[in-house]
Amino acid sequence: MSSVESGRRTPSTDALHYFAAKLGVDADELLTGRPTRLPVELELALAELTLSTGQELTQNEVAHGEQVCQDVDRTAEAYGLVEVRARARSRLAVFALWRGEVRRADELFESVERLLRDAPLPWRVPALVGRAECLRRLGDSRYGLYLLESTLKELNRTGLIDPTALLALHAGLVGLYLDVGATKEAAAAADEAVKLAPVGPELVRLATMYLSVARTLTAEGQVAEARRYLDRLEELWRLVALRPQIGECHWARGQLLSREGRDVEACAELETAYQMLRGAGDPARLAGAAADLADVRRRLGHLAEAEQVLTEAAALVEHTEDPLAHARISRQRGLLALEKGESHDGETHLRMAVEQYAAAGRHQELALAQRLLGDMYRNAGRMQEAALAYRHGLVTVEQQS
């Protein structure tokens, strides 16, 4: 015993099991000092957090979730549980994105990549997609596009065709393609992602079942079996975490259908997008989907429904300082007011949209808002003001080119 304790000898398997039985612990726990149930208990904590957190996150849920994940991360680090650390940090990155802490989220996703550097590529895909999302929000969509396109090529080259990884990559590519003006590629990626995406309510039912089974097996001491169910639950969490990107796929499909004049079909896609983007922590995208949905509803003559979604979206983005989110809502509010014959409110909202697009540095949308303002003045016989609005719009276009 003294030789083993001093590290001069390694105990035989028989000796290890003998002393473990005498002490009433598992042999692996005696050898490593790590409680046998610890990994599964930490994973259960993350799994329970996943199911207790609503799809529309709240401040309290995020604060509680961060505390749980930080505790799990610290414990997992102390015992060298790399995969558990990666799972905890992936969730922390999602919470950071919700808070608008994009650089911190990017650092967390990078740390997940490092932790999983020896794992198969499909395991690293969620972190890569997360990094691309951060790059996009930081204004570097082209590098984010390169990152995901090269990952998709590598996935195909190696033959590791994991459906969840493919879904994540295609969904992540949609917004990046739209940012660089590649609408055909965005439409193709959106179609692929929507085909691969499972139905939402079914995910929740499956996750609840897996968690219940994992709890029971853990209580019965069947740790290995419990971990198998928790692995399945982790896969479901990755799908749930893709909800904003899948929502953007529906948004892209809705935009393209709208441009083709297929407003009824576009309305269905945009309604799905709007519901999926609620609570995702990206006010600009939420406002964009809401504005496009209101625009289609207005063109279909559903003015009350258009006003309802704009009022709701305005409340959801009220506390954000993102001028683009407010600009998208203001422009549609202006158009809706004009449609209802409320010219004063229409002018007020369109003027606000012009100021907000200017603050956001969105020249193309700014020029469009100035043209709409000019059209309104011209229709009202206010030719001098119309000419001034059109002139400002032309100057904006010239500055952009």
Side-chain angles (χ1 to χ4, degrees):
M1 274 295 294
S2 60
S3 298
V4 170
E5 288 174 351
S6 65
R8 293 195 302 273
R9 291 186 60 183
T10 302
S12 67
T13 303
D14 289 342
L16 194 62
H17 282 89
Y18 172 79
F19 287 117
K22 286 286 186 183
L23 294 169
V25 298
D26 188 90
D28 186 59
E29 182 177 346
L30 188 61
L31 185 63
T32 65
R34 182 177 67 207
T36 306
R37 290 190 182 186
L38 181 64
V40 76
E41 285 171 353
L42 294 177
E43 288 170 15
L44 271 172
L46 294 176
E48 286 167 355
L49 174 65
T50 298
L51 284 184
S52 67
T53 301
Q55 292 183 335
E56 292 180 33
L57 293 173
T58 66
Q59 186 74 33
N60 287 340
E61 285 176 337
V62 170
H64 171 68
E66 286 176 326
Q67 186 61 58
V68 170
C69 290
Q70 285 164 358
D71 290 345
V72 169
D73 184 38
R74 278 194 293 269
T75 305
E77 183 180 18
Y79 287 99
L81 299 170
V82 174
E83 288 178 29
V84 178
R85 284 200 76 198
R87 293 178 181 185
R89 287 184 155 249
S90 292
R91 286 162 173 77
L92 283 170
V94 171
F95 292 138
L97 273 180
W98 184 90
R99 288 188 182 278
E101 298 170 357
V102 183
R103 293 195 183 280
R104 179 168 174 265
D106 188 43
E107 290 169 1
L108 284 163
F109 281 127
E110 276 195 271
S111 73
V112 173
E113 271 192 86
R114 288 194 297 272
L115 286 166
L116 298 176
R117 60 183 174 273
D118 297 325
L121 180 57
W123 290 27
R124 302 197 304 274
V125 164
L128 290 163
V129 171
R131 283 210 62 211
E133 172 63 17
C134 293
L135 288 164
R136 183 186 179 194
R137 295 200 195 185
L138 292 168
D140 197 356
S141 292
R142 292 195 178 277
Y143 183 63
L145 192 58
Y146 163 77
L147 188 64
L148 294 195
E149 283 185 331
S150 59
T151 302
L152 185 58
K153 286 177 185 174
E154 180 67 12
L155 200 67
N156 288 320
R157 188 189 67 77
T158 56
L160 297 171
I161 310 300
D162 178 83
T164 306
L166 280 176
L167 169 58
L169 288 167
H170 284 299
L173 281 166
V174 173
L176 296 164
Y177 280 134
L178 288 175
D179 285 353
V180 300
T183 53
K184 285 184 180 179
E185 289 83 352
D191 286 340
E192 285 297 320
V194 171
K195 284 177 195 172
L196 289 163
V199 180
E202 187 63 24
L203 291 182
V204 177
R205 284 194 293 271
L206 278 173
T208 304
M209 181 191 74
Y210 290 157
L211 180 58
S212 177
V213 173
R215 280 184 186 135
T216 302
L217 290 170
T218 302
E220 293 175 353
Q222 299 183 53
V223 175
E225 285 295 320
R227 289 202 70 177
R228 272 195 278 276
Y229 279 95
L230 287 170
D231 285 341
R232 293 179 194 174
L233 184 53
E234 179 67 15
E235 189 77 7
L236 293 182
W237 178 80
R238 289 175 185 170
L239 292 171
V240 172
L242 285 171
R243 185 177 171 84
Q245 285 87 352
I246 297 169
E248 189 161 29
C249 292
H250 288 285
W251 182 21
R253 283 156 61 103
Q255 286 177 313
L256 293 169
L257 288 166
S258 177
R259 288 174 196 170
E260 294 171 6
R262 297 158 65 182
D263 284 344
V264 174
E265 295 166 87
C267 193
E269 290 285 353
L270 292 168
E271 176 67 46
T272 300
Y274 176 61
Q275 294 302 329
M276 295 187 82
L277 288 167
R278 289 168 60 102
D282 191 337
R285 271 191 273 188
L286 173 66
D292 286 344
L293 176 58
D295 191 40
V296 170
R297 284 179 172 176
R298 178 178 58 80
R299 291 205 303 272
L300 290 169
H302 305 157
L303 303 189
E305 290 90 340
E307 185 166 14
Q308 180 185 356
V309 74
L310 288 174
T311 302
E312 192 178 81
L316 289 170
V317 303
E318 181 181 4
H319 299 296
T320 181
E321 296 179 2
D322 187 343
L324 180 58
H326 295 289
R328 286 170 167 168
I329 299 295
S330 295
R331 190 181 77 182
Q332 287 303 323
R333 277 184 149 175
L335 291 173
L336 184 59
L338 293 177
E339 188 84 19
K340 292 161 65 179
E342 300 167 356
S343 56
H344 176 73
D345 285 348
E347 179 180 355
T348 300
H349 287 303
L350 286 176
R351 280 185 170 279
M352 287 174 62
V354 166
E355 293 172 5
Q356 289 158 344
Y357 278 127
R362 303 292 286 234
H363 299 293
Q364 187 175 349
E365 292 97 328
L366 173 58
L368 175 58
Q370 287 166 325
R371 182 182 67 77
L372 292 171
L373 194 59
D375 290 347
M376 186 210 70
Y377 287 138
R378 180 171 54 81
N379 292 335
R382 298 160 64 179
M383 296 307 178
Q384 254 188 322
E385 290 164 291
L388 187 61
Y390 289 142
R391 188 179 303 120
H392 286 157
L394 286 171
V395 169
T396 299
V397 172
E398 288 170 1
Q399 286 176 340
Q400 188 180 11
S401 55

